[in-house]
Amino acid sequence: MEMDTPEVLSASARTLHTLPEGTPDLGAMRAWVGTLLRDLSEDVRLDVLLVCTELASNAYEHAEGPRAVRVQRHTDFVRVEVDDHTPAELPQLGRSRLGDSRGRGLLLISQLARCWGTREFTGGKTIWAEVDA
């Protein structure tokens, strides 16, 4: 697992966390992001952690690996990006098709993030979201 971990992520800095194949270790990812953003307010940090968790969970649930999370901090927002290698299946905001307790991750993200979207690359896609800091 690759982790580029500066002490605290400064403005306009970007860092990468490669997610493990197989069973996701979302706890390790959350600890990594929490450390990077520990000087932000708790509310902002918790929103970013929830967005990271939802995006990474979706990458495991709906896509193939390898998967990676990037965090980029700007002066007034934090951008989270999750890469996977399933280009054809772009996420869509809508009603849960998986039942009452699942399938609402993008609805949460759309409420917490100032904006979100997708970007395709050769052999995969990036799902991203920006949270006001």
Side-chain angles (χ1 to χ4, degrees), residues 34 37-50:
L37 303 176
R38 71 176 171 263
D39 64 322
L40 292 178
S41 74
E42 183 179 19
D43 288 343
V44 171
R45 199 170 53 254
L46 291 174
D47 286 352
V48 172
L49 288 172
L50 182 53

Side-chain angles (χ1 to χ4, degrees), residues 37-133:
L37 303 176
R38 71 176 171 263
D39 64 322
L40 292 178
S41 74
E42 183 179 19
D43 288 343
V44 171
R45 199 170 53 254
L46 291 174
D47 286 352
V48 172
L49 288 172
L50 182 53
V51 166
C52 284
T53 301
E54 291 299 329
L55 290 177
S57 295
N58 283 349
Y60 279 99
E61 182 78 24
H62 303 289
E64 299 297 320
R67 301 167 189 90
V69 175
R70 280 183 306 285
V71 177
Q72 186 170 15
R73 184 167 172 180
H74 297 268
T75 304
D76 59 343
F77 68 94
V78 176
R79 183 180 176 105
V80 176
E81 300 176 341
V82 175
D83 296 339
D84 66 55
H85 284 79
T86 306
E89 295 186 30
L90 296 177
Q92 298 197 10
L93 185 63
R95 296 190 63 174
S96 172
R97 59 178 165 55
L98 300 173
D100 290 339
S101 64
R102 298 194 52 222
R104 295 187 306 258
L106 286 178
L107 292 172
L108 285 171
I109 290 167
S110 72
Q111 294 297 308
L112 294 173
R114 67 184 199 166
C115 57
W116 70 275
T118 61
R119 181 178 66 244
E120 291 186 77
F121 60 85
T122 302
K125 67 181 173 299
T126 300
I127 312 300
W128 58 269
E130 295 177 354
V131 177
D132 286 325

